[in-house]
């Protein structure tokens, strides 16, 4: 008689990262058995089996996929890196390795963490649905390879491997290495006094626990014949907020002053483009990290918020934590970044 496993087993690729580790914690809460695959180790948990390797190598992935029901692929190089080769290798070629490893190991469900930015070209998007076309001029290399990656995952959906792409936007929460630390760094350097544009551009910032909830529901939905197979889904807080109100709440919560002085969006965007051009010319001699890259200026000065109706309809998604509570929990978790008197 075949032995029936009672618990579902999953693998989180990128499980030592910000989103990945929150996903691991919630999967354990919901009684899944969890494997983690990552190229680095950032925490220990006796309930988790860790595999260290490079996702671009199928042979590294295979041992981690043994008897796995659902693979969550949420690994990527940091978006702030400017290295096209790295993005292409990990996000595109690496994702193809993940797909072949899933097929070879007999995994039936694959959930990709994509990004809502795959449709963003630097111009306003208001309540955008998943039917928007992919950006024909993506705002950076990261986004360009997230598009390639998502296309590959969705087209590999077949009878044996059911795939889905979750598109979060602006993830924040405890242990995020990117958003809150960057904003605080800017404040400490006196660069957070300015508002780009009129300050009334609405944006999705999504609390990490809501993103995790969306991923788990997406994975659970991938039954044979489900409408969700081969599709992309926005996962948001379903509560767009003025970009500058969000930043102000984080800054004030941590004891810093809110941005006050308005700079015209178009002016700053073109300045950022020119500065980026000179930085590229100087790259062989010196590497300069721009605080106001054209990508950041575009993200800070335009509307970009998305509808999550499809996720609500197809797998009953609804955010678990509202915006005020999410900001509060996030601010409380960053005691070390609080302004010292
Ligand atoms: N942070 C955000 O606001 C958003 C993130 N996303 C996506 O969510 C996912 C997770 O992002 P975060 O948790 O913020 O990033 P993170 O940088 O905290 O985690 C990514 C993890 O991937 C691992 N990784 C990278 N290359 C690898 C390789 N070759 N082999 C094995 N592991 C590798 C890293 O070691 C890291 O632990 C990414 O796919 C990202 O594109 C999407 C939308 C917004
Ligand atoms: C210009 C300024 C005031 C920037 C400070 C905040 C930024 C560090 C974040 C604001 C929006 C964020 C964001 C991302 C990274 C961090 C921000 C630029 C992503 C690019 C991360 C990866 C994605 O897939 C899309 C995100 C969009 C929003």
């Amino acid at each position: 008689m075949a032995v029936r496993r009672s618990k579902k087993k999953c693998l989180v690729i990128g499980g030592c990262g910000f989103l990945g580790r929150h996903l691991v914690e919630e999967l354990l809460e919901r009684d899944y058995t969890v494997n983690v695959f990552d190229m680095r180790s950032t925490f220990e948990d006796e309930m988790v089996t860790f595999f260290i390797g490079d996702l671009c190598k199928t042979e590294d992935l295979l041992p981690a996929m043994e008897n796995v029901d659902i693979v969550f692929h949420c690994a990527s190089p940091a978006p702030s890196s400017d290295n096209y080769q790295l993005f292409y290798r990990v996000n595109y070629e690496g994702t193809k390795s993940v797909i072949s490893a899933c097929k070879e190991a007999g995994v039936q469900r694959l959930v990709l963490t994509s990004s809502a930015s795959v449709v963003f070209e630097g111009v306003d998007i208001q309540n955008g649905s998943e039917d928007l076309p992919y950006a024909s001029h993506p705002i950076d290399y990261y986004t360009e390879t997230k598009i390639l990656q998502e296309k590959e995952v969705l087209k590999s959906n077949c009878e044996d491997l059911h795939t889905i792409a979750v598109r979060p936007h602006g993830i924040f929460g405890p242990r995020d290495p990117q958003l809150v630390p960057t904003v605080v760094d800017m404040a400490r350097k006196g660069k957070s006094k300015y508002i780009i544009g009129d300050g009334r551009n609405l944006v999705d910032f999504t609390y990490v626990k809501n993103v995790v909830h969306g991923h788990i529901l997406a994975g659970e939905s991938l039954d044979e014949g489900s409408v969700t197979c081969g599709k992309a889904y926005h996962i948001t807080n379903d509560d767009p907020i003025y970009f500058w109100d969000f930043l102000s709440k984080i800054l004030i919560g941590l004891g810093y002053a809110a941005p006050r002085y308005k700079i015209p969006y178009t002016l700053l965007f073109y300045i950022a483009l020119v500065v980026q051009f000179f930085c590229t010319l100087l790259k062989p001699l010196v590497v300069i990290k721009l605080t106001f890259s054209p990508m950041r200026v575009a993200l800070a000065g335009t509307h970009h918020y998305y509808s999550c109706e499809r996720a609500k309809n197809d797998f009953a998604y609804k955010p678990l934590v509202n915006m005020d509570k999410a900001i509060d929990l996030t601010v409380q978790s960053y005691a070390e970044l609080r302004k010292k008197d």
Side-chain angles (χ1 to χ4, degrees):
M1 199 174 75
V3 182
R4 220 179 113 81
R5 280 175 294 133
S6 55
K7 282 180 163 191
K8 277 224 162 96
K9 185 171 175 181
C10 27
L11 167 65
V12 181
I13 303 176
C16 287
F18 163 51
L19 172 64
R21 185 169 165 194
H22 280 279
L23 178 57
V24 168
E25 289 167 352
E26 188 58 31
L27 287 165
L28 291 171
E29 274 295 305
R30 298 191 194 185
D31 216 24
Y32 282 85
T33 302
V34 183
N35 285 355
V36 160
F37 181 94
D38 206 298
M39 63 182 192
R40 61 179 181 153
S41 164
T42 58
F43 70 105
E44 285 172 19
D45 188 324
E46 58 184 21
M47 297 299 287
V48 176
T49 310
F50 289 92
F51 296 82
I52 298 294
D54 180 356
L55 67 85
C56 301
K57 296 182 182 157
T58 311
E59 68 274 19
D60 283 3
L61 288 164
L62 283 172
M65 289 191 184
E66 216 172 288
N67 292 323
V68 159
D69 302 289
I70 312 180
V71 168
F72 294 95
H73 172 14
C74 50
S76 165
S80 55
S81 135
D82 195 27
N83 184 337
Y84 184 74
Q85 276 78 24
L86 177 69
F87 283 128
Y88 190 84
R89 191 179 78 83
V90 178
N91 285 349
Y92 180 53
E93 294 180 337
T95 297
K96 289 205 280 185
S97 309
V98 171
I99 295 165
S100 3
C102 284
K103 288 184 174 161
E104 199 173 326
V107 173
Q108 282 172 351
R109 295 169 186 226
L110 170 62
V111 181
L112 170 73
T113 313
S114 179
S115 167
S117 293
V118 296
V119 296
F120 183 63
E121 293 195 315
V123 290
D124 292 340
I125 293 183
Q126 300 189 59
N127 209 30
S129 82
E130 291 86 347
D131 294 329
L132 286 174
Y134 288 113
S136 48
H137 301 289
I139 50 169
D140 55 15
Y141 296 148
Y142 163 80
T143 315
E144 193 175 327
T145 56
K146 291 298 281 183
I147 296 174
L148 294 174
Q149 169 190 63
E150 186 185 285
K151 285 183 177 169
E152 208 57 40
V153 165
L154 296 183
K155 84 169 187 227
S156 70
N157 177 60
C158 62
E159 210 180 307
D160 296 333
L161 178 64
H162 303 162
T163 67
I164 190 166
V166 171
R167 293 179 179 175
H169 192 267
I171 311 174
F172 72 101
R175 300 194 300 255
D176 157 39
Q178 192 171 230
L179 202 155
V180 175
T182 306
V183 171
V184 168
D185 185 55
M186 287 169 67
R188 286 180 173 168
K189 290 179 176 154
K191 292 179 180 173
S192 69
K193 297 189 181 100
Y194 310 101
I195 292 174
I196 302 171
D198 65 4
R200 301 190 70 79
N201 54 309
L202 282 169
V203 171
D204 279 319
F205 284 101
T206 314
Y207 189 56
V208 65
K209 301 263 183 222
N210 295 331
V211 178
V212 161
H213 182 53
H215 276 70
I216 299 176
L217 292 178
E220 286 172 349
S221 77
L222 290 175
D223 294 329
E224 188 69 58
S226 163
V227 289
T228 64
C229 295
K231 281 205 195 137
Y233 287 87
H234 294 150
I235 291 295
T236 72
N237 262 32
D238 203 17
D239 185 15
I241 179 169
Y242 291 127
F243 181 96
W244 297 97
D245 277 4
F246 178 81
L247 250 56
S248 298
K249 284 181 186 210
I250 298 281
L251 284 168
I252 292 168
L254 289 169
Y256 301 89
R260 272 181 298 165
Y261 307 110
K262 293 183 179 160
I263 311 179
Y265 170 73
T266 318
L267 174 72
L268 194 64
F269 185 75
Y270 283 107
I271 293 176
L273 277 181
V274 172
V275 174
Q276 180 174 263
F277 174 73
F278 283 109
C279 290
T280 313
L281 287 185
L282 291 173
K283 212 170 168 183
L285 303 172
V286 55
V287 177
I288 305 166
K289 276 251 171 217
L290 289 178
T291 308
F292 291 103
S293 64
M295 183 268 276
R296 278 201 190 156
V297 173
L299 286 169
T302 58
H303 293 286
H304 41 104
Y305 64 96
Y306 302 85
S307 159
C308 59
E309 280 309 300
R310 185 188 273 184
K312 288 187 193 168
N313 290 333
D314 289 0
F315 48 80
Y317 168 74
K318 75 171 196 296
L320 300 178
V321 185
N322 71 32
M323 192 52 102
D324 285 343
K325 179 84 186 153
I327 293 177
D328 201 36
L329 289 168
T330 305
V331 165
Q332 281 175 33
S333 75
Y334 280 101
E336 76 285 6
L337 293 185
R338 187 166 282 284
K339 189 173 179 197
K340 295 186 185 68
D341 302 312

